[in-house]
Amino acid sequence: MPAESRCLGAVILLLLLPSAAAHSNILYDVSLDFDPALKELVTAVAQEHFGLVEEPVRFDYERELLIVQFDRKVELSANVDPSDFSLAGFRDDSRVSERGTPRLSQAERRAVAERVFETLPEPMRREMTYGGERELYTGTFQHLWYRAVDGVLVANEHLEVEVNGITGEVIAWKRLPFFAAQENIRTSPAISGAVARKVAELTFNAAPVQFTPFLLLNRDRPVWVVKVKALYPIYVWVDALDGRIVATGDLRATVPEQYAVGPDIPVQETDSIRNIREGKA
Amino acid sequence: MKIVGIALLALMLPALLGCATPDTLLAQRLVAYNAERYKDAPATGTLEDGVRTIRIKASQFYFEPETIVVNRGERVRIVVEAVDVPHGFEIEGLMIPGYDIETVIRPGFPLTLEFDAMETGVWDFICAIYCGFGHSTMKGTFVVR
């Protein structure tokens, strides 16, 4: 078959591929009736934290955490990790100031957030890196600590703390669980970011955009995050070990603005990729 | 006008030269490989009255089978049975007409879905109902080839 025909065939094949769908990480109003003990214990942790005796109005779910919601005009909820029934955060939006000027300096706000960070188990803290502060709304600042292995950010395994810069109170914090042990995580990509971007462009028949691919860890595997413009610009997660499209849509991870890890990490080609590159697979 | 024409030609040159850059070539091969990786896999389930019927058991925290392969154009019937606690079933990104992804599949009450597999591709299928710690790991692969 002539090379041009092979290329055309590949392009037609790509056009037939469906787009991977983005899926929300949050399930709202989940039922825990299948496990009364679980429901009772999770509720107890939340009640104890807030010093309440009332029953929650509903439970939500986000990445293995159960979010226990109480009936308030603004959100009052506790995040409970059902693996060990530990408190993994809370949100009390009654602590948000409606107006005012932040009186805490950035260092002071960070110090408030650090106090939450210090409550995490030491092995967890050891793997986390401070990811900076960003302003959210009316004097609220979010501080991030993300898990990193060999400097590569593990997606959605982080701590975020929201501090009221006016009152100095913690409005909310959330600690997402770690899934894979550090030693079971592969961090080196088997393909380059440039190849990953090309995979996304070809798959979605998309145009390139000005964006430097970066590397994340999706549980125990590296993924390239690239950005392309199909109908509109989308992020695409490309598995850095086999080139599969893992996810599309929004970024799907909390990543510090200055994060740019990946391009400098050497590609360690696997036998499988080598075979594909040489046309043997 | 000439300049625009030359610029366009320059942009199209790699394609005209047979997708020549090594990155592009590898990317093309990866896309083709991933599209065809299930080419030789046996189809899952059995043909019952011309309908490919697949029975899936959903347990904390896995599906069995975890990979489903069907042929494009087949009428597919998927029967999902919850073994222990209530589970859900969603093929992410694949619309199944008339199916509500929030449907709760309770033990003893299997869910039956029937649809035509008209589009080739690879999708994740997941448990769409919270079923305990480990819920997020409960996923499988649905392939139409």
Side-chain angles (χ1 to χ4, degrees):
Chain A
M1 191 189 283
E4 298 90 283
S5 302
R6 278 203 302 272
C7 284
L8 187 63
V11 169
I12 290 168
L13 194 67
L14 302 166
L15 295 176
L16 292 173
L17 284 173
S19 59
H23 188 265
S24 167
N25 294 324
I26 299 179
L27 292 175
Y28 294 100
D29 200 8
V30 300
S31 170
L32 300 184
D33 292 340
F34 67 90
D35 192 339
L38 170 77
K39 187 176 181 177
E40 195 178 309
L41 283 164
V42 164
T43 300
V45 172
Q47 286 171 328
E48 189 183 329
H49 173 69
F50 289 122
L52 298 172
V53 289
E54 69 195 70
E55 290 298 310
V57 283
R58 69 165 207 270
F59 301 93
D60 299 333
Y61 162 87
E62 183 183 9
R63 295 191 178 271
E64 302 297 0
L65 295 185
L66 287 166
I67 307 162
V68 186
Q69 297 279 358
F70 292 97
D71 189 13
R72 293 292 184 280
K73 198 171 166 186
V74 291
E75 183 166 340
L76 180 70
S77 63
N79 308 325
V80 181
D81 186 339
S83 67
D84 58 3
F85 298 102
S86 61
L87 186 80
F90 74 83
R91 171 168 292 283
D92 182 355
D93 278 341
S94 71
R95 294 181 176 182
V96 175
S97 297
E98 287 182 12
R99 60 187 67 81
T101 309
R103 62 173 182 79
L104 270 67
S105 67
Q106 186 171 2
E108 288 168 327
R109 296 190 296 262
R110 179 172 172 175
V112 171
E114 292 266 9
R115 286 203 284 275
V116 177
F117 176 70
E118 294 300 327
T119 65
L120 300 189
E122 203 277 326
M124 237 179 182
R125 275 185 283 143
R126 210 171 36 221
E127 293 186 31
M128 294 179 108
T129 303
Y130 181 66
E133 178 192 69
R134 69 188 178 113
E135 186 167 5
L136 297 180
Y137 43 82
T138 52
T140 302
F141 298 84
Q142 186 188 68
H143 292 260
L144 176 76
W145 280 265
Y146 60 88
R147 186 186 186 196
V149 179
D150 297 339
V152 186
L153 183 149
V154 189
N156 300 306
E157 298 187 7
H158 61 260
L159 166 74
E160 55 191 44
V161 184
E162 286 178 29
V163 177
N164 184 329
I166 301 163
T167 65
E169 286 182 301
V170 173
I171 295 166
W173 65 273
K174 179 169 63 181
R175 182 269 296 160
L176 294 165
F178 290 2
F179 281 93
Q182 207 171 3
E183 58 272 20
N184 296 333
I185 296 175
R186 172 173 167 150
T187 56
S188 55
I191 58 172
S192 69
V195 170
R197 181 168 49 197
K198 205 72 201 168
V199 165
E201 287 171 16
L202 291 170
T203 302
F204 300 107
N205 193 24
V209 298
Q210 192 66 36
F211 182 81
T212 305
F214 60 80
L215 202 64
L216 295 182
L217 295 167
N218 183 26
R219 299 206 176 198
D220 59 351
R221 293 171 73 90
V223 291
W224 283 107
V225 177
V226 302
K227 198 173 185 182
V228 294
K229 186 176 181 299
L231 279 176
Y232 46 83
I234 53 169
Y235 290 100
V236 182
W237 286 23
V238 180
D239 190 299
L241 298 184
D242 64 13
R244 275 180 308 123
I245 303 295
V246 178
T248 63
D250 58 15
L251 188 51
R252 294 169 63 107
T254 305
V255 178
E257 272 177 33
Q258 72 279 13
Y259 181 81
V261 174
D264 297 334
I265 296 182
V267 171
Q268 290 184 10
E269 205 169 69
T270 57
D271 290 344
S272 167
I273 292 293
R274 192 171 304 115
N275 286 338
I276 292 167
R277 183 167 50 77
E278 291 170 0
K280 292 178 187 166
Chain B
M1 199 65 189
K2 259 185 194 169
I3 294 168
V4 174
I6 292 165
L8 277 173
L9 196 64
L11 285 172
M12 291 166 67
L13 204 56
L16 294 173
L17 291 174
C19 312
T21 74
D23 282 354
T24 303
L25 194 59
L26 176 54
Q28 285 173 334
R29 286 181 173 162
L30 279 169
V31 173
Y33 169 80
N34 282 311
E36 293 189 6
R37 67 195 296 178
Y38 296 100
K39 191 177 68 179
D40 300 323
T44 313
T46 53
L47 276 177
E48 296 178 10
D49 300 326
V51 179
R52 179 153 302 282
T53 304
I54 298 131
R55 293 174 204 285
I56 302 175
K57 286 190 189 304
S59 316
Q60 287 174 316
F61 297 100
Y62 60 93
F63 290 103
E64 193 185 351
E66 276 189 329
T67 302
I68 298 172
V69 180
V70 304
N71 299 310
R72 187 162 74 97
E74 279 184 325
R75 183 79 179 156
V76 176
R77 183 185 298 133
I78 294 179
V79 183
V80 188
E81 184 190 350
V83 173
D84 39 27
V85 299
H87 291 283
F89 185 76
E90 177 188 358
I91 302 176
E92 286 189 302
L94 196 68
M95 292 293 288
I96 299 175
Y99 174 56
D100 177 3
I101 56 162
E102 293 186 9
T103 301
V104 180
I105 311 165
R106 298 182 190 286
F109 299 91
L111 166 81
T112 301
L113 294 171
E114 216 170 294
F115 57 97
D116 296 314
M118 299 308 290
E119 193 179 5
T120 54
V122 179
W123 294 265
D124 283 341
F125 63 86
I126 60 165
C127 176
I129 300 293
Y130 180 69
C131 61
F133 188 80
H135 162 77
S136 68
T137 61
M138 194 168 163
K139 58 167 58 176
T141 306
F142 181 73
V143 181
V144 181
R145 54 96 194 271

